[in-house]
Amino acid sequence: GAIIIDSTPAENVHISETDAAGVAVDAVSNVDNALCAWSYYDGESGIVEYEVGLTTIPLATVPPDIVAFQSVGLRTEYRLSFLNVNLTHGQHYYCIVQATNGAGLKTAHTSHGFVFDSTPATCTVRDGLTGDKNFTRVSLSVVASWECTDDESGLPQRYEWTPVQFSSSNGSYYDLIAPIPLRHNRVEHNLQLQHSGRYVSRVTTINRAGLRSTFYSDGFLVDVTPLEPVHLKMVYNASDHMLHAQWSFDDAESSIASVQHRFYKLGTTA
């Protein structure tokens, strides 16, 4: 038969890390759910073998420093757990695949890489968009915002926000609605709130490695009623020609933040 002369190695079409559904990922928390997938093409002599390894060096010309090349036949994906290696938190890794064509020529390529992240994001949740409120007189909406950090895989990709009401009768929290999925870190949602009710925002984050973590705000109390005066007394002291005033107010919900007073002449308002 004819002899095919092939002087060029196979061409790499792609190589990447994916999740079990085949979606490309750049952060991994569980090697059981991550794969290295690739595709090569050789129109002359075809592909006869693939070898896969793991490296911390994104150079195909350097032998892999974590897991040496191992033959996987003609498979075009390989679960990372099959490499049988313990990964280091925060370290970047790259799949490296070497293809051998029918002429015995080899070529290797590295993936875009991934970071191994074994810890979820950390967040601070506030009852407000710009600050953290403890009380509100608004009973028609819940407002919350949060700041999250993740040094390894970056800011979370997804959030789930749930407004929660506290029951003083049994010390439990109850979800007011089902969790709302969000892509941003603030929310204002219309809800009918109860006077003297205490409410909390719960935020669940999902980072790029797929790890979930849940955080709560410190909560706020709804107070739609003004202060109640307990007594107000004014006394003129002739000996020092001074007008003395005494007062007290009560607020069972949000307490008293400040008191301002002004004296008026009888029959006037200024």
Side-chain angles (χ1 to χ4, degrees):
I3 298 176
I4 299 176
I5 299 176
D6 187 356
S7 60
T8 58
E11 297 179 9
N12 174 247
V13 179
H14 86 274
I15 174 173
S16 64
E17 291 82 20
T18 72
D19 59 18
V23 178
V25 297
D26 58 6
V28 171
S29 63
N30 185 348
V31 292
D32 290 331
N33 299 325
L35 300 90
C36 183
W38 60 87
S39 175
Y40 281 80
Y41 173 76
D42 193 302
E44 292 79 30
S45 59
I47 308 294
V48 297
E49 182 188 37
Y50 292 114
E51 298 167 275
V52 62
L54 192 66
T55 182
T56 59
I57 305 170
L59 294 173
T61 56
V62 179
D65 61 339
I66 301 299
V67 178
F69 282 126
Q70 48 187 271
S71 176
V72 295
L74 292 177
R75 298 177 61 173
T76 56
E77 65 177 30
Y78 200 67
R79 195 175 297 274
L80 292 180
S81 59
F82 293 166
L83 296 175
N84 194 27
V85 61
N86 293 322
L87 303 185
T88 300
H89 173 70
Q91 176 68 54
H92 281 78
Y93 297 92
Y94 305 84
C95 283
I96 180 169
V97 176
Q98 182 167 261
T100 303
N101 67 6
L105 298 175
K106 297 179 181 292
T107 182
H109 295 82
T110 58
S111 66
H112 58 73
F114 66 94
V115 62
F116 184 67
D117 188 357
S118 59
T119 59
T122 59
C123 301
T124 299
V125 184
R126 298 184 299 265
D127 297 301
L129 295 182
T130 57
D132 189 23
K133 65 186 178 185
N134 296 318
F135 306 97
T136 182
R137 60 184 179 183
V138 178
S139 62
L140 297 177
S141 65
V142 176
V143 179
S145 60
W146 49 93
E147 298 292 337
C148 300
T149 59
D150 193 311
D151 293 336
E152 292 73 36
S153 57
L155 292 178
Q157 287 189 315
R158 305 188 306 279
Y159 306 97
E160 292 176 357
W161 172 78
T162 311
V164 180
Q165 183 174 10
F166 175 73
S167 173
S168 58
S169 61
N170 59 14
S172 300
Y173 288 91
Y174 298 93
D175 293 1
L176 296 178
I177 58 176
I180 297 177
L182 297 168
R183 291 283 182 177
H184 46 273
N185 66 334
R186 55 182 52 208
V187 65
E188 182 171 0
H189 192 78
N190 293 333
L191 281 174
Q192 183 67 51
L193 307 181
Q194 298 177 356
H195 171 66
S196 75
R198 175 165 290 279
Y199 299 88
V200 171
S201 280
R202 182 179 70 232
V203 175
T204 297
T205 69
I206 304 95
N207 71 2
R208 296 211 313 269
L211 296 173
R212 301 172 67 93
S213 53
T214 299
F215 303 89
Y216 293 84
S217 68
D218 56 8
F220 65 93
L221 187 140
V222 178
D223 185 0
V224 298
T225 58
L227 300 171
E228 295 183 4
V230 177
H231 82 273
L232 176 62
K233 181 180 180 181
M234 298 184 64
V235 177
Y236 176 72
N237 191 332
S239 62
D240 59 8
H241 303 288
M242 296 289 292
L243 185 63
H244 299 268
Q246 295 178 339
W247 59 81
S248 67
F249 292 85
D250 182 55
D251 193 301
E253 291 79 28
S254 58
S255 70
I256 301 172
S258 64
V259 175
Q260 296 178 333
H261 67 273
R262 183 178 296 174
F263 292 105
Y264 298 101
K265 183 179 178 180
L266 289 176
T268 66
T269 58

